Each structure stands twice: as structure tokens, then as C-alpha cells.
Amino acid sequence: MTDNTQHQQAATPELPTQYVPADVEGKLYERWVERGYFEADEHSEKPPYTIVIPPPNVTGSLHLGHAFEHTLIDALTRRKRMQGYETLWQPGMDHAGIATQNVVERELAKEGKSRHDLGREAFIERVWKWKNESGGQISGQMRRLGDGVAWSRERFTMDEGLSRAVQTVFKKMYEDELIYRAERIINWCPRCLTAISDIEVEYSDDDGELVSMTYGEGEESLVVATTRAETMLGDTAVAVHPDDERYRHLVGKRIKLPLTDRTIPVVADTHVDPEFGTGAVKVTPAHDPNDFEIGRRHDLPSLTVMDERAVITVPGPFEGLDRLEARSAIVAALRAEGRIVAEKRPYVHSVGHCSRCKTTVEPRLSMQWWVKVGPLAQAAGDAVRDGQVKIHPQEMEKRYFDWVDDLRDWCISRQLWWGHRIPIWYGPDGEIVCVGPDEEPPGGEGWHQETDVLDTWFSSGLWPFSTLGWPEQTDSLAKFYPNSVLVTGYDILFFWVARMMMFGLYAMDGTPPFHTIALHGMVRDQFGKKMSKSFGNAVNPLDWMDAYGSDALRFTLARGANPGVDVPIGEDWVQGSRNFANKIWNATRFALMNGATVEGELPAAEELSATDRWILSRLNTVVAEADAYYEDYQFAKVSDALFHFAWDEVFDWYVELSKTTFMGGGRPAEVSARVLGEVLDTTLRLLHPVMPFVTETLWTTLTGQESLVIADWPAMRGFRDKAAEAEIEQVQQVITEVRRFRSDQGLQPGQKVPARLTLEGTAFAPHEAAIRQLLRLTPEGDAFQATASLPVSGATVALDLSGTIDVEAERKRLTKDLQNAEKEKAAAEAKLGNEAFLAKAPDKVVDKIRGRLTKAEADIERITAQLAGLPTG
């Protein structure tokens, strides 16, 4: 499986005695970039394979979640490139509206300034300066990880081309009446001073208070309960269920609102649950989304009682108080009037927080810009239902449908300065004009542009096609859209995936943005706990890459990547992957020193030993497994299969079984050297997508060819030899059993023992030298005494243990172990023979006892054989 192009086999390939990742990775990556291996040609006749990077925030740095996701994407794209696809991994960054503005505002605060001191234009210039000087450090970290992205195509969601795409789609949606302006309840962050969408609100169970209080007087009174007493200043009604007999006499009447000089009506509304609490709820239309809807149904006024910083604005004793201060003051005032019926503290309830600054979100009535998502969400759901787009794993489809089938209109305006300014112009007489790219905004006195910017997710939702030059009909767009697959976390299924689906289907004439959505889980610590700085378990992936190499980190992450499932990771696992990289290195060095080569065709079958045929047969199976797992996004399974094949079968068995052949020299050694070269060549290719650095170094040394990045992916040869596999499996059983016996007898691994091998039939005969070498078994000699005899898998191994162990002490130890095993067997048999026990015990308990019985029986058989094998007399 060698490439014929640019073949320059080194005369004497050499490798350093140790693999030092720091000496290899940086220089190797820059060589890949300089040679343009990761670039994509839209004019190529190769089939396209496209993946976009989930654009990291320009404020961000590489964390383990990034490293995990990038490893998976890089593995897919490297394999497809090797398979002959014109592969594009599209890089870029998100302008991250709120996050970036906050960073620059903090920098200004150090100078004693605010953005208002600079003004809008100067502040935007300051943000661009910060972006160019300090933003995007993640790009350098991506290079450390080995990301094979097309750097020449790097995009930014605020660059000129993407800004043009944003303006184009906004105008199209506005003209199609899918974007509108309306006063609605929105999620407001009093810290960031902007609206945020529903999916940018993080909920947690917080300690609060539940206060029950009396509204009205005498018989015309009722009790309501709230966790936000400060909002009562904006109440414009009390609502009860129309069928609730307790309050029927009050419906339509007006009652006194405490602490104010207002009266409010009692209205009947089916939204109210008569079984919850007192069955009566206060209605604050300007500060609660459900109350807003009740207010619309009953034509209630909406009174805003807080400003943008959540400070009370109602004239009176509470004016100027922060919402939390007002809450305590209002409860105290109600208590003084005798209106508090009950107080519950702490009262644990779900509270929304801004996902960026963690401030408690305030529902607030506000004039904002909205996307009418109904028809867009319908199309996004249908694209999955009709099979245009597949979600992997399939069980994640329900999550997707639960979201898109119940999607509310999306608030897209943000009260920020950094971002895509909404392309709407207002005239002096109430005119509203949407301005697209290449259009002049209206001029004249009194015209001004909307000050709000668009939600960051609006521009990132266009990412699969805006990065390819849309709205222009570019060659890149024609070649690389739609994307082949989207690899992303299930945690942003709603944030980003649904947005891209809606925009892609809308803007690209019903063509979805990707064929497959491959969802992965989140990285957690080795105990399954979420990683967080506050928990003290957050890890900087650069630290692990510095200590163990990028390949070790990548392999660890890939080996834990089961579709849609969270990934635990610990440092000792990365150490284990580092050991694997070292094992590959040392085995390849051994192979090169013994003449392993990829020169020429494989020898004819009649020249191959059973060991050679076995490893080639197993190699063919592993190639098929790797292909099947990759196509199913089973990164953990492909990594595990390659790990065990490389370490267990190639290095621990084939290399060891072949050592006697290499020492013997001649044609058999030449044949095995060619087979070993073939196996290493293919194994390194299979491992390359996940472990690119060490495999590239070893493969180019082994083959003398230019780069694994552009080498061919291994293809199945159709070679299977079941007989050879069965033969070597028997040899392995003999070696494994004798090793276990040696260990049980307390023999040191290197201790030589005289032995006689009786090999039934002809299958074992060619392997006797290898068996003896691996088991440290010397020839019989004249004084040989067969003090132990092991019948194993069609062979008998007689050992002379005289003088090597304390026979009596060993007999006592084994006898005690045998007695314990017999007791365990008897206890298990007694329980399994008890009908009453079997009738009551759970299946898991019964299965566990059956397992104990099976183990006890195996132990008895093993120990009995060991006792029989001890020297007598």
C-alpha cells in the first residue's frame, strides 16, 4: 500500500533513540502549511468534502472542549484528504459581540474611561485595534494542536464579505416580512445592558424567598404569592381561573393594590392553574412573559417599574433602589401593614442568568427587532424528518425536534456598539427604510440609523455559506456548499445548529447547510465532573501538550469520543497515550534496524510464514473496521481498535514472533522485513488522522516519501487467512498459559528454565524457536527432569523446575487457594440451588452469583493443574 509518486527511499533510514514531540511538532506543522497541504482548490475535479470550524470567540483561548472538537474534525478531514477528496476545513472566528465589548470596556475602565467618553466610532476603532493586536490567540494554539485548516481562507464574522452577507439576508428577510419590530417581553441583562435571547439564558436552582401577601380588603381580598415582590409596583391585575368558585364573586371587580394609590381588576384567564398555590396570581405585564400574554388578552396596561440597570423608577419611597434592595423594603412595608400571610426562606427555584456575566436576568418590556421563526423552524424540522439532513447519533433527533417544533420568535437586536449594526434607517416622519449592500442610505435632515446591533448568532448562522463568498455566486460556493458534515457539541444544538439550518434553507433555496450533524458530548474530568475554574479542575490543554505532546492529547480525546456522550479525561490517560506514541516510535526503530521496507511488491503467498500471513490477515480486518467506524463517527472505537492492533498484535506479537526470523537472516528475514514494512506503513496511515505528528515522522523515514498528509488512505486487499489466524492463536495460547504458569510459580520474567516441547502435528513446529525465546525456555540437556507438565492447546510443555522454587511452600499456598475456590463454588451453588432465593433476588444479583460460580470453577481447574505440575518427591 505504497504511493508511487515522489518516492525517495532513504538508503539507511535512522531515527533518534527517543521521540521528543517538542523537537518535531512545530517545524512539521509549518512545513505542512508552507507546502499548502491544507488548502482547498475550488477548481479541482476531486469530490468535495467540507467542514466548517465552529468559530471560536475572538476573545477566547484554546480549552479542552476546543481541543476535543478540533481533534475529531481534523481526524475526519485528514482521512478524507487521504481518500482523494478535495477537502476544505474552513477556519475563522466569531466577533462575539457582548464578550468582546466587555473586554474592551474593562481595558478602558483601567484608564478611567467608558465607551461613552470615546463615542461610538472611536470605540469601534478601539475594538478593532484590540482584535488585531490581542484577539485571536486561539489561532496559534490551533497550530499547536495540528489543525489542518485552510488558513488562506480564514474568515471573521465582521469582515467585509460576511458583513455583506448579513446585510443581504437581513434585507431579504425584512422584505419577506420575516423580520419585524415590536414591543415584547425580552430577557434583559442589567449588567451587559442589552437584550439576550432565550438560549443565552442559563438557569440554575437558586435560594430565594416566596412571599404570600393579601391584595384588596375584607371579603373583596385574595392572597397571591411571588418570588419577586418588587414587581408588584407594576401589577395591573390579579388573574384567577374562570372555573374557580372561590373567586367567581371577584371577577370583574377592582381591588386595592397595596402600597399604592391604585386599584386593579380581577380577571379570569385559563392560563392560571387553580391547583397551584392559592389559585390567584399577580399580573405584571411589563416584567413577565406569561403576564404579558395575559395582559394582551385582557387589554391590561403595561407599567415598566425598573430602568435598564434594574433600579426602581416608580415615584415614592422605593424609587432609586436596586431591585434586590427594593424587594426587601417592599416586603418590610407589607409586613408593617399586616399583609404578609407567609414567608418561605430559603425557597429554591429556577432563576435565569446571563450566560456571559452570570447576572440574574430581568424580564423587561422593550421595543426590539425580531425574526418570525415559524416558517423557518418548520423547514428546519422537515429537513431532518425527510432525510435531507441526518443527526448522529439518531437519538439526538428528539432533542432537535423538541426545540425547533416549539421555537418562539427570536429577538435579534442587541443594545451594543460592537457588532453588525442593524441596516434600518428612520426618517423624521416615522419612515423606516431597510438598506442593503451597495445601496445608499436615505439622506437629509432627521434621518438616522438604528443604534442596535444584531445578535452574534445572526451572523454565525450564515457561516456555512457566507464563508464561501455568498451572496456572490462564487466557485467556492458551487464546489463546497453544502457542507459534508457539521461536528459540534450537543450543548449548542439550539444556539447554532438550528440557526444555521434555518438560514441555510432560507438563503440557499431550500438546500440545507450540511448533510450530517455529528454531535459529541462535553469534556469532563476523570470523575465525570464538569470542568470549571471555580471547581479547580479546569485544565489548560497547552500544559498537557507541553508535557506529553499533541498526539498524546489528541489520541486520549479521540479514544473517549463516543457519539453524543460526555468525555471524561485525566492526566494519567494522557500519559498512557504518550506511552503509546513511544511504543510506536520504538517498534518502528526496531523495524528499521532489521531492514523493514516498503520497496517492491509483497512476496508471494508461498514465501510467507504463518506469522506473516496472520498479521496481514489481521491488518486487512483492521482496515475494514477503521473505515466502518469512521463512517459512523465512532472515534472511540476506531482509536481503540487501532491501539490494540498496533500495541498488542503488531508490537507485542508479530515483532516478538519475528525476532528469531530476523536473527536467522536469509530469505525468510527479507520476507518478514517486507511484511513488517507493509504492516507499519498501513498502521501509520491508519493512525495518522488522530496522531499526525509522530506518524508523519515515522512514515516519511520508513518510506522516504514526501508526507502522510497527502498519502493514500489504506484500502482493503481482500486478504484473509483464517487458517493462519487459528494457528497463531494457538501459539499465543501456549505462550500465554506458560507465562501465567511461570508467574504463578514466582519465576522471574528473565529466568531461564529447561523445557521439553511436544508439539502435536506440524502447525507448531515452525514456531518452536520463537516460543522458546519468548518464554525463556532452554533446551532439555542431559540432566533434564520433567517436574511440571502443561498440556496447552495441542502442545505439551514439560518444565524442569528443580532448584528454582520452594516446592513445599508453593504446594501449601496453592492448596490454600484451592480450598478457598472450592468454598466459593459451594456457596454459589447453594444460593443458585435455593428456589426461594432465585424467586426473590433481582436478575443482576443472580447473574453476579453465576459469574462467581464460573470464576470459582475456572480457578479450581487452574490451581489443580498447577498442583499437578509441581515437582514430586
Side-chain angles (χ1 to χ4, degrees):
M1 301 179 190
T2 60
D3 298 328
N4 294 321
T5 59
Q6 302 179 23
H7 185 80
Q8 299 173 342
Q9 176 71 26
T12 310
E14 292 183 358
L15 288 168
T17 55
Q18 289 184 321
Y19 177 53
V20 182
D23 293 345
V24 171
E25 294 176 350
K27 291 181 288 188
L28 201 52
Y29 187 84
E30 290 309 313
R31 188 185 311 151
W32 290 335
V33 173
E34 288 168 7
R35 293 179 177 178
Y37 294 156
F38 304 139
E39 296 303 324
D41 180 5
E42 60 266 33
H43 303 297
S44 167
E45 294 183 359
K46 297 177 181 178
Y49 187 80
T50 316
I51 295 181
V52 294
I53 191 172
N57 286 352
V58 67
T59 57
S61 59
L62 192 74
H63 55 63
L64 272 179
H66 288 126
F68 172 56
E69 186 168 78
H70 290 201
T71 294
L72 306 187
I73 298 175
D74 198 41
L76 290 175
T77 53
R78 283 179 182 270
R79 173 174 174 262
K80 285 297 182 180
R81 190 179 292 111
M82 295 172 75
Q83 286 183 310
Y85 286 79
E86 192 61 36
T87 303
L88 170 60
W89 182 8
Q90 173 66 53
M93 287 184 290
D94 192 284
H95 66 278
I98 294 177
T100 304
Q101 180 158 318
N102 284 346
V103 167
V104 178
E105 287 198 79
R106 284 196 295 269
E107 292 296 315
L108 284 175
K110 295 176 184 177
E111 303 170 15
K113 298 178 182 178
S114 73
R115 61 183 164 116
H116 301 285
D117 295 324
L118 272 66
R120 185 167 191 141
E121 289 188 12
F123 177 75
I124 296 301
E125 289 179 9
R126 181 71 176 258
V127 179
W128 276 107
K129 181 182 177 184
W130 176 87
K131 185 263 180 188
N132 294 330
E133 293 177 354
S134 306
Q137 62 174 313
I138 201 167
S139 295
Q141 296 166 337
M142 287 166 60
R143 293 172 182 264
R144 283 288 312 277
L145 191 64
D147 286 5
V149 300
W151 286 112
S152 69
R153 293 172 174 263
E154 187 174 12
R155 303 303 298 270
F156 181 55
T157 52
M158 287 280 285
D159 69 28
E160 184 177 350
L162 269 65
S163 295
R164 183 179 182 84
V166 167
Q167 291 175 36
T168 301
V169 80
F170 186 98
K171 176 154 187 171
K172 177 175 168 57
M173 294 177 73
Y174 180 78
E175 292 178 344
D176 288 345
E177 298 183 350
L178 291 172
I179 287 181
Y180 64 94
R181 189 171 185 244
E183 190 175 45
R184 299 274 183 82
I185 289 285
I186 47 91
N187 303 297
W188 181 265
C189 176
R191 158 64 183 78
C192 297
L193 300 180
T194 182
I196 58 177
S197 65
D198 291 343
I199 55 176
E200 293 170 299
V201 179
E202 294 178 347
Y203 289 91
S204 61
D205 290 335
D206 295 357
D207 286 346
E209 61 181 359
L210 181 66
V211 179
S212 299
M213 49 197 176
T214 303
Y215 280 22
E217 305 290 347
E219 292 185 359
E220 295 187 352
S221 66
L222 39 66
V223 175
V224 300
T226 183
T227 58
R228 301 166 65 220
E230 69 279 7
T231 63
M232 70 160 291
L233 299 175
D235 286 357
T236 56
V238 172
V240 298
H241 194 277
D243 298 332
D244 195 331
E245 293 293 338
R246 294 172 295 176
Y247 304 117
R248 188 180 295 275
H249 68 290
L250 290 177
V251 174
K253 293 186 177 181
R254 301 184 70 87
I255 60 175
K256 177 78 167 53
L257 178 65
L259 307 182
T260 72
D261 57 1
R262 293 191 291 118
T263 60
I264 57 176
V266 177
V267 299
D269 196 281
T270 55
H271 171 76
V272 179
D273 180 1
E275 302 299 322
F276 183 78
T278 63
V281 297
K282 57 191 288 299
V283 182
T284 321
H287 292 279
D288 184 273
N290 294 320
D291 292 2
F292 177 76
E293 296 300 328
I294 294 175
R296 289 212 300 185
R297 287 193 289 272
H298 298 277
D299 293 324
L300 300 174
S302 297
L303 303 180
T304 299
V305 300
M306 282 179 260
D307 66 12
E308 61 183 9
R309 298 183 183 277
V311 173
I312 301 298
T313 57
V314 178
F318 310 112
E319 184 177 9
L321 295 180
D322 170 83
R323 56 183 166 171
L324 297 182
E325 297 171 333
R327 183 176 301 170
S328 299
I330 287 171
V331 171
L334 290 168
R335 191 183 299 113
E337 290 190 3
R339 290 186 175 274
I340 297 297
V341 175
E343 297 178 70
K344 185 175 182 180
R345 297 188 185 88
Y347 177 72
V348 179
H349 63 130
S350 181
V351 177
H353 301 269
C354 173
S355 61
R356 290 171 176 83
C357 70
K358 310 309 177 188
T359 301
T360 299
V361 167
E362 189 63 41
R364 188 169 190 254
L365 186 64
S366 180
M367 183 68 76
Q368 302 285 344
W369 286 92
W370 303 80
V371 168
K372 183 181 179 181
V373 300
L376 303 174
Q378 176 71 42
D382 289 346
V384 175
R385 288 188 177 93
D386 65 20
Q388 285 189 80
V389 179
K390 297 187 183 301
I391 293 179
H392 191 279
Q394 190 174 2
E395 55 264 27
M396 285 286 181
E397 282 186 2
K398 183 180 184 302
R399 270 186 153 189
Y400 178 78
F401 292 136
D402 286 346
W403 179 255
V404 298
D405 291 348
D406 192 32
L407 205 54
R408 295 192 294 184
D409 284 1
W410 172 21
C411 177
I412 56 172
S413 45
R414 298 291 181 268
Q415 290 64 55
L416 303 170
W417 286 356
W418 173 245
H420 293 281
R421 194 165 176 180
I422 292 177
I424 290 288
W425 290 74
Y426 302 107
D429 298 318
E431 304 96 328
I432 298 179
V433 176
C434 182
V435 179
D438 304 325
E439 296 179 352
E440 288 294 325
E445 187 176 349
W447 283 91
H448 64 280
Q449 187 179 357
E450 170 66 69
T451 57
D452 288 353
V453 301
L454 289 166
D455 179 9
T456 298
W457 296 103
F458 192 97
S459 52
S460 59
L462 313 181
W463 192 248
F465 51 92
S466 64
T467 51
L468 297 172
W470 189 91
E472 307 303 325
Q473 297 305 306
T474 64
D475 291 340
S476 288
L477 190 66
K479 178 73 174 180
F480 296 113
Y481 187 90
N483 293 183
S484 305
V485 62
L486 173 74
V487 178
T488 192
Y490 65 72
D491 56 316
I492 60 171
L493 181 62
F494 317 129
F495 284 85
W496 190 44
V497 179
R499 308 291 191 223
M500 286 189 290
M501 285 285 284
M502 291 191 294
F503 280 133
L505 289 160
Y506 172 74
M508 300 302 292
D509 300 320
T511 302
F514 20 73
H515 298 301
T516 301
I517 301 168
L519 298 171
H520 59 71
M522 300 174 67
V523 178
R524 297 182 178 272
D525 71 13
Q526 65 198 79
F527 305 108
K529 190 174 182 180
K530 181 180 178 180
M531 284 192 171
S532 166
K533 290 181 180 179
S534 60
F535 294 155
N537 63 350
V539 174
N540 183 346
L542 294 176
D543 293 340
W544 281 353
M545 285 191 278
D546 288 342
Y548 309 112
S550 298
D551 285 329
L553 176 63
R554 289 170 60 115
F555 190 75
T556 304
L557 290 166
R559 202 174 178 192
N562 290 296
V565 179
D566 289 345
V567 183
I569 184 173
E571 186 168 6
D572 54 338
W573 303 343
V574 186
Q575 291 174 353
S577 296
R578 185 270 316 274
N579 295 343
F580 180 45
N582 289 341
K583 184 81 170 181
I584 301 169
W585 185 272
N586 293 332
T588 306
R589 284 190 73 246
F590 167 85
L592 291 171
M593 288 188 293
N594 285 277
T597 180
V598 296
E599 290 283 7
E601 294 297 321
L602 277 173
E606 56 268 20
E607 285 198 280
L608 299 175
S609 68
T611 308
D612 294 333
R613 296 196 308 276
W614 162 73
I615 198 63
L616 290 174
S617 183
R618 289 292 306 129
L619 178 67
N620 196 63
T621 300
V622 168
V623 170
E625 288 177 347
D627 281 332
Y629 290 144
Y630 264 121
E631 292 302 314
D632 198 35
Y633 306 101
Q634 298 280 0
F635 299 98
K637 289 183 178 179
V638 71
S639 300
D640 210 48
L642 294 178
F643 172 86
H644 287 294
F645 174 72
W647 192 307
D648 300 345
E649 298 186 81
V650 179
F651 306 148
D652 280 359
W653 281 111
Y654 181 73
V655 168
E656 293 299 321
L657 289 170
S658 300
K659 282 183 177 179
T660 54
T661 304
F662 289 129
M663 288 188 293
R667 181 57 182 166
E670 292 177 1
V671 170
S672 288
R674 179 63 186 89
V675 170
L676 182 53
E678 180 80 3
V679 171
L680 283 175
D681 173 19
T682 303
T683 302
L684 292 171
R685 292 177 195 243
L686 292 171
L687 284 167
H688 177 73
V690 176
M691 305 180 77
F693 294 107
V694 67
T695 54
E696 171 86 337
T697 306
L698 295 174
W699 187 84
T700 52
T701 304
L702 171 69
T703 67
Q705 296 181 50
E706 182 181 342
S707 175
L708 251 180
V709 180
I710 55 172
D712 291 338
W713 181 252
M716 289 179 59
R717 286 180 176 266
F719 183 92
R720 289 300 302 273
D721 192 326
K722 294 292 185 67
E725 289 190 31
E727 183 175 326
I728 299 304
E729 184 178 342
Q730 283 187 301
V731 173
Q732 290 172 327
Q733 288 175 358
V734 170
I735 293 172
T736 300
E737 288 301 316
V738 176
R739 279 176 172 167
R740 181 180 293 123
F741 181 80
R742 286 178 57 109
S743 176
D744 288 341
Q745 303 307 320
L747 299 176
Q748 295 300 313
Q751 187 173 350
K752 295 182 179 180
V753 178
R756 176 190 302 135
L757 272 63
T758 304
L759 306 172
E760 299 176 11
T762 59
F764 286 106
H767 307 291
E768 179 171 353
I771 293 172
R772 284 188 176 277
Q773 180 178 336
L774 291 175
L775 293 174
R776 302 296 189 269
L777 303 179
T778 60
E780 305 169 34
D782 295 335
F784 179 81
Q785 293 181 341
T787 58
S789 182
L790 298 176
V792 184
S793 188
T796 301
V797 181
L799 303 172
D800 184 353
L801 301 179
S802 57
T804 61
I805 61 171
D806 184 337
V807 176
E808 285 308 310
E810 187 63 17
R811 193 183 305 280
K812 287 181 181 179
R813 183 184 73 81
L814 289 172
T815 300
K816 185 176 180 181
D817 289 347
L818 181 61
Q819 291 171 347
N820 291 334
E822 288 171 339
K823 286 180 182 178
E824 178 73 6
K825 178 187 176 185
E829 286 177 335
K831 285 190 175 181
L832 294 173
N834 185 333
E835 294 297 332
F837 169 78
L838 292 176
K840 295 179 181 179
D843 290 344
K844 287 184 179 179
V845 173
V846 175
D847 289 343
K848 186 175 180 181
I849 293 173
R850 286 183 178 138
R852 285 166 53 187
L853 175 60
T854 300
K855 182 179 182 302
E857 290 173 340
D859 287 344
I860 291 170
E861 183 179 354
R862 175 178 56 82
I863 297 168
T864 301
Q866 290 173 11
L867 282 167
L870 288 175
T872 57

